[in-house]
Amino acid sequence: MTLDRQRGMPGGASHTAVTDFLSATLKSIPRSDQRRWGEVYVRGLLEVDGKKTMRALAHRAGGGIEQSLYQFISKSPWESRPVRQELARLVQRAAAPRAWVVHALDVAKAGDHSVGVQRQFVPSAGRVLNCQRSIGVWLASDELACPVDWRLSLPDAWVREPLARKRASIPDGVRACPPEQCAVGSVAAIADGWGLPGRPVVMDLGETDPYPVCAQLVDLQVPFVVRVDPWRPFTAMDMGLAPLTRADAQGPDSLVAALSRRSVPVEWLDHRTDEVRANQVGSVPVRLRGSQERPEAPRLSLLGAWTGAKERQPGEFWVTNLPPSQLGTAYRTAMLTRRVERDLAEVADPLGLRDFEGRSYRGWHHHMTMVSLAHALTVLGRTSRAGERAAAAPVGIGLSRTTGLAA
């Protein structure tokens, strides 16, 4: 096995920095040979161009090791969670993220053998796809976003059929899980035992009833900002408004008027363009339909943001349990979804996030963990170089925070 120690990493980190990072994040893997294969796999993800197949990764390291890499990813019994926990702690220390952003990942598949694949409706695509659905929890700041945990959303058929479970080696305790509940489970685990400072959770619920998710996040004592469809699930409170449903012609107009009266301009950084923009954002107190059964339910706010200059009504709606006085903070936090979308497209996808072709549940988790490590090396190295340039620039120019992965 040959390791190319001279070739630079796409993230700009030196060989020593990469080795130190991987030594820290892979230390929970008990066997030294498995830790070595982990380093080979991550370096392959960083250096190989195009699709990250086992053959391509093995060829990059000198060839003749494809079976060993396959064994490490698909069969070896090392646990992903401790690796992800250490990754999260390193990203927390290096980047001081402002939010935990939940982002859905839908991977189209041609066949039906990959674990979790099924023909299902995908809201982001607006149609039925044969795909694998999962969610990632990303630590996000203005400078970077990095995935630190992954949950595979398994349809009923994959957990109900003994043969399907056996073929994919799905553990006995794993059950079917819609994406939003996978997200809550991941957030609960991170909040409970990962040792990270609490941060607001950002999530897009689309047309899903937000009450179950928001109620669970409230019970977890987690701050949140979740994107919603407001016309179905809400009843405004303290505003004297009728229940807001699609059939209630007065409800939407009354809601828009209330939001407009309470709107203020909010400046925010658009991570798609790196430009500072300003939107009118209004806020009204609401309670979720179903919370009438919980008299102690906390006060929530519905944010409406006018995303176009000539829009008559808000183009985005978010529900948050942050105080009304933090309207600007809540909206700027919500906009970190664009940081995640950008780093997903520019970093994670080119590193092979969607490239795993194996059939096993364990293999999928192992691959997503290794890609997350490669992603962290890339974005932390990129931010470190930007910080070095800022330090050399005149005062007042550049970023205010650097990381420790310089070449």
Side-chain angles (χ1 to χ4, degrees):
M1 177 181 62
T2 301
L3 290 180
D4 183 353
R5 295 176 178 273
Q6 301 304 317
R7 188 172 177 180
M9 296 289 106
S14 68
H15 174 82
T16 300
V18 172
T19 299
D20 290 346
F21 179 88
L22 293 176
S23 295
T25 51
L26 300 178
K27 64 184 179 182
S28 63
I29 298 177
R31 288 171 43 181
S32 61
D33 62 320
Q34 292 176 340
R35 295 194 296 273
R36 186 171 66 252
W37 291 125
E39 181 172 347
V40 171
Y41 199 88
V42 172
R43 288 183 179 276
L45 295 173
L46 289 165
E47 296 187 17
V48 169
D49 294 327
K51 192 168 185 178
K52 307 303 193 288
T53 64
M54 289 290 182
R55 180 169 297 178
L57 300 183
H59 179 75
R60 170 261 162 202
I65 62 168
E66 184 176 346
Q67 185 59 36
S68 296
L69 287 181
Y70 171 81
Q71 179 73 23
F72 168 74
I73 290 295
S74 295
K75 301 292 186 181
S76 296
W78 58 274
E79 293 291 334
S80 294
R81 178 165 295 185
V83 178
R84 296 175 184 177
Q85 288 175 331
E86 187 59 34
L87 167 65
R89 295 181 189 116
L90 289 174
V91 173
Q92 174 66 44
R93 290 197 295 269
R98 294 184 17 233
W100 302 348
V101 179
V102 173
H103 194 278
L105 182 70
D106 302 311
V107 181
K109 296 286 186 177
D112 58 1
H113 296 296
S114 296
V115 59
V117 166
Q118 181 173 287
R119 288 188 59 79
Q120 49 198 317
F121 180 75
V122 177
S124 61
R127 60 193 177 97
V128 173
L129 296 175
N130 189 62
C131 68
Q132 202 176 46
R133 305 204 70 194
S134 64
I135 66 95
V137 177
W138 297 60
L139 303 188
S141 69
D142 284 326
E143 290 80 24
L144 61 86
C146 182
V148 297
D149 197 31
W150 293 97
R151 297 288 174 104
L152 189 59
S153 178
L154 291 175
D156 285 338
W158 278 89
V159 298
R160 189 176 60 246
E161 297 294 335
L163 184 58
R165 292 191 73 109
K166 182 177 180 180
R167 285 177 175 173
S169 300
I170 298 173
D172 291 340
V174 175
R175 298 289 179 263
C177 183
E180 61 274 9
Q181 289 305 313
C182 287
V184 172
S186 181
V187 167
I190 294 172
D192 181 56
W194 284 35
L196 302 182
R199 294 292 182 266
V201 172
V202 181
M203 190 184 320
D204 187 345
L205 292 178
E207 293 190 356
T208 302
D209 180 3
Y211 174 69
V213 171
C214 291
Q216 289 171 296
L217 293 176
V218 166
D219 288 342
L220 291 171
Q221 299 183 341
V222 170
F224 60 83
V225 190
V226 297
R227 188 171 181 173
V228 297
D229 172 6
W231 306 132
R232 292 188 310 163
F234 296 109
T235 300
M237 65 186 276
D238 298 339
M239 299 297 296
L241 300 180
L244 302 174
T245 68
R246 293 188 185 279
D248 181 2
Q250 300 303 314
D253 291 340
S254 299
L255 175 61
V256 170
L259 287 169
S260 181
R261 287 194 301 271
R262 293 168 173 243
S263 69
V264 295
V266 174
E267 287 191 344
W268 57 284
L269 177 61
D270 186 346
H271 296 292
R272 293 174 182 168
T273 61
D274 289 328
E275 296 176 340
V276 175
R277 298 174 57 185
N279 287 348
Q280 286 293 124
V281 182
S283 171
V284 295
V286 295
R287 68 175 180 266
L288 298 176
R289 199 180 297 275
S291 62
Q292 294 91 333
E293 301 172 4
R294 296 179 52 163
E296 77 286 359
R299 188 184 186 97
L300 303 178
S301 295
L302 175 68
L303 307 185
W306 279 260
T307 53
K310 297 182 179 180
E311 286 185 341
R312 295 183 58 190
Q313 66 182 36
E316 295 177 350
F317 294 90
W318 303 79
V319 165
T320 182
N321 61 349
L322 293 175
S325 60
Q326 296 184 20
L327 180 150
T329 297
Y331 187 67
R332 284 187 286 270
T333 300
M335 291 299 97
L336 288 172
T337 54
R338 297 194 175 200
R339 177 80 263 175
V340 171
E341 291 167 358
R342 178 173 176 175
D343 283 4
L344 170 62
E346 294 182 357
V347 182
D349 272 343
L351 287 171
L353 190 67
R354 303 171 195 262
D355 288 352
F356 181 67
E357 297 293 345
R359 300 182 181 185
S360 79
Y361 180 87
R362 174 183 293 162
W364 182 86
H365 275 282
H366 284 174
H367 173 78
M368 300 301 276
T369 301
M370 294 296 105
V371 174
S372 298
L373 297 183
H375 182 103
L377 281 163
T378 302
V379 296
L380 291 175
R382 178 186 66 192
T383 308
S384 179
R385 295 198 311 279
E388 290 173 353
R389 291 194 296 270
V395 175
I397 298 178
L399 301 174
S400 62
R401 184 177 300 279
T402 61
T403 62
L405 289 177

